[in-house]
Amino acid sequence: MVDAIEITDMHRRFGRTEALCGLNLHIPAGCVYGLMGRNGSGKSTALRILMGLVRPDRGRALVLGHDLSNATAGQRAQVSYVAQGQRLPGWMTADQLDTYCACFSARWDQSYLRELCRRWGIPRGLAVATLSGGTQRKLALALGLAARAQVLLLDEPAAGLDPVARRELLDALVEVLSDGRSETVLLCTHLVSDLERLAERVGVIDGGRLTLEGRLDDWQTRISRVQIVYPDVAMPTTTLLPRVLRSQREGLVQTAVVDGLDATILAALRAQPGLRVVQSAVSLEDIVIAVLGPSAVPEAAIPLTTPAFVET
Amino acid sequence: MPPLTFIVDPKGNAPVYRQIMDQIRYAIAGGTLVPGDQLPSIRELARDLVVNPMTVVKAYTELSHEGTVVLQHGRGAFVTATGRTLSVSAREQLLRKTLVQVAVEAVQLGIDAPTAARLLSEEIRNLKGTSHG
């Protein structure tokens, strides 16, 4: 079965900035995928290339097997893109936008749009400029959904919204997912806490490429924070930790975010004389900060070696 | 259907589907859910918890694999007589996995095995004390 989204070895430079350098991203059909990264990490560029709005310097971008920069209207109708801070024309009403957008979309579903407006409390006869930021964003999402596309690309849908409006948008997305449909959703957002609720797979993009990726529940099971207190400053940092995403040692205390710290390794650490070890959970946000932050360990991470016992 | 409150923390210790499973198991152990009770629909629970419905599907599916609930096509998820479809040794294996973490904490806190066993017995007695019948 063909992947819904296939980005292979994508490169794109703007002037002297390398926006994308070798991005590889494969998203299976039906998956809800959360893509995280700093501002300027290349997320929006990747989406624009996927939609065929920007040409890559090198590499391939396919949606449902098609290159959208050179596709038929029918193939384009399979993808819906709600861009970052999508500004709808202030003077138009939802009903007018309904008529307008229907011209561009081969599968436009007017009754679904009306249903969503009713469910989400979006007035259909008022000019967009009179609606609150949250309502405008919900309308943009509703318009994106009414296109009945198989692939939905959402770029920062909740950016700039107050917490109540953000939660309403999240509720709306949960509802859409509960409708028993099977779209593929690629959600780019800084609001990592939203992804913890929605995403099945997640990836971190940094410096124009994907640096970490996996199933969200795998990450939550396997990745944890560990704090180790050494008996004295001269004692070398332990080599017992499995794959280390980030590690910092300050005097007696080492704090690390690690992948795969199970009960066996924990017991081995605690068996080391003088070490005090505390393991705790990490949120998705902590993981992303660990991977993107200054004390991140590069991909050639510390491998698991045999324990070095300290004789007392 | 008895009133059930689920609380999940997406930032928490375990994946959300695991938290849902744990709370259902706890409700069964404590008697809030009894064999024959129907669990909330996937859609309802996803909406209440504000999580991807696939997460609820996963929780219910895993619970059905271990025999705790049965999924009836078109009707919903129902509590079975707890773990009856699993053999004694299979159930003990499941419990052992949780006990490893308890053992590690006991050692770290300097609590010996007999004391830990006593604490566990008390907790089990407390739970059984709250169930009806």
Side-chain angles (χ1 to χ4, degrees):
Chain A
M1 169 136 138
V2 74
D3 277 340
I5 291 173
E6 229 183 281
I7 297 179
T8 312
D9 192 33
M10 188 177 283
H11 292 254
R12 174 69 204 213
R13 168 193 292 273
F14 293 102
R16 291 170 57 188
T17 314
E18 281 230 60
L20 296 173
C21 358
L23 177 69
N24 287 289
L25 179 62
H26 291 249
I27 301 177
C31 178
V32 178
Y33 192 102
L35 187 59
M36 302 165 286
R38 297 164 110 148
N39 294 340
S41 56
K43 301 191 299 294
S44 297
T45 305
L47 290 185
R48 283 191 221 111
I49 293 178
L50 267 176
M51 288 303 293
L53 301 170
V54 168
R55 279 245 139 92
D57 296 331
R58 198 161 91 222
R60 204 172 59 163
L62 300 177
V63 183
L64 296 169
H66 306 124
D67 176 349
L68 292 187
S69 65
N70 186 21
T72 66
Q75 287 164 352
R76 267 188 233 277
Q78 293 175 316
V79 193
S80 188
Y81 173 42
V82 183
Q84 188 164 4
Q86 182 103 52
R87 302 277 292 275
L88 303 171
W91 59 271
M92 289 180 84
T93 66
D95 276 343
Q96 287 167 335
L97 280 163
D98 181 359
T99 314
Y100 177 67
C101 291
C103 305
F104 298 99
S105 175
R107 293 145 67 135
W108 193 256
D109 189 339
Q110 183 182 70
S111 58
Y112 186 49
L113 177 65
R114 290 182 174 180
E115 167 63 22
L116 290 176
C117 287
R118 185 192 63 77
R119 257 199 248 168
W120 298 345
I122 303 171
R124 283 169 35 202
L126 297 181
V128 161
T130 64
L131 305 176
S132 69
T135 309
Q136 288 188 32
R137 210 57 68 77
K138 280 189 268 186
L139 177 55
L141 180 63
L143 290 167
L145 291 168
R148 287 292 191 180
Q150 283 168 263
V151 176
L152 204 52
L153 307 177
L154 303 177
D155 195 355
E156 301 289 353
L161 297 183
D162 66 66
V164 175
R166 260 179 49 201
R167 176 49 65 94
E168 288 178 348
L169 194 65
L170 195 58
D171 287 339
L173 282 170
V174 169
E175 248 186 66
V176 165
L177 293 174
S178 307
D179 277 339
R181 306 160 91 207
S182 55
E183 295 99 336
T184 308
V185 181
L186 172 53
L187 180 54
C188 295
T189 182
H190 292 312
L191 297 171
V192 179
S193 52
D194 287 354
L195 291 185
E196 275 170 324
R197 295 176 179 277
L198 294 178
E200 289 149 26
R201 292 189 70 89
V202 286
V204 178
I205 183 171
D206 188 22
R209 64 168 73 86
L210 213 55
T211 52
L212 192 67
E213 165 179 69
R215 285 196 56 88
L216 180 59
D217 40 33
D218 277 350
W219 282 19
Q220 288 166 324
T221 312
R222 286 180 5 221
I223 301 180
S224 58
R225 174 181 283 112
V226 65
Q227 190 181 72
I228 302 175
V229 183
Y230 293 84
D232 76 78
V233 193
M235 185 171 179
T237 305
T238 181
T239 50
L240 285 178
L241 292 175
R243 183 163 175 237
V244 176
L245 300 176
R246 186 193 97 138
S247 176
Q248 250 177 326
R249 169 100 183 249
E250 267 175 46
L252 295 176
V253 183
Q254 177 188 12
T255 313
V257 175
V258 295
D259 175 4
L261 181 60
D262 59 22
T264 317
I265 302 176
L266 200 55
L269 275 170
R270 286 173 168 154
Q272 304 279 284
L275 250 52
R276 291 204 320 267
V277 185
V278 178
Q279 184 184 32
S280 54
V282 275
S283 66
L284 186 58
E285 191 162 73
D286 292 333
I287 295 172
V288 172
I289 291 170
V291 167
L292 295 178
S295 344
V297 175
E299 272 321 301
I302 298 169
L304 181 62
T305 59
T306 48
F309 290 107
V310 174
E311 300 292 324
T312 45
Chain B
M1 192 169 68
L4 265 183
T5 332
F6 288 96
I7 304 173
V8 294
D9 180 7
K11 295 188 190 337
N13 264 314
V16 176
Y17 83 91
R18 196 83 69 65
Q19 294 181 42
I20 295 172
M21 286 173 72
D22 287 345
Q23 287 185 43
I24 290 172
R25 288 194 201 115
Y26 191 86
I28 293 171
T32 317
L33 278 175
V34 296
D37 278 347
Q38 182 174 17
L39 296 178
S41 74
I42 290 165
R43 193 199 180 101
E44 250 174 63
L45 193 52
R47 202 188 47 216
D48 288 344
L49 298 177
V50 198
V51 294
N52 188 328
M54 288 308 297
T55 307
V56 181
V57 168
K58 185 162 183 173
Y60 283 13
T61 309
E62 296 280 315
L63 286 171
S64 89
H65 286 158
E66 70 181 41
T68 310
V69 310
V70 62
L71 304 177
Q72 293 185 3
H73 185 65
R75 291 194 54 218
F78 296 83
V79 179
T80 60
T82 313
R84 191 187 284 172
T85 59
L86 284 182
S87 66
V88 171
S89 59
R91 279 181 268 149
E92 285 179 10
Q93 262 307 100
L94 279 175
L95 185 60
R96 191 182 282 280
K97 278 198 246 178
T98 327
L99 289 176
V100 168
Q101 195 55 36
V102 173
V104 167
E105 289 218 22
V107 168
Q108 184 69 7
L109 291 165
I111 292 176
D112 65 16
T115 312
R118 177 174 56 79
L119 292 170
L120 180 61
S121 300
E122 283 173 18
E123 285 305 319
I124 291 176
R125 267 203 303 279
N126 286 341
L127 262 184
K128 290 215 162 129
T130 64
S131 71
H132 58 263

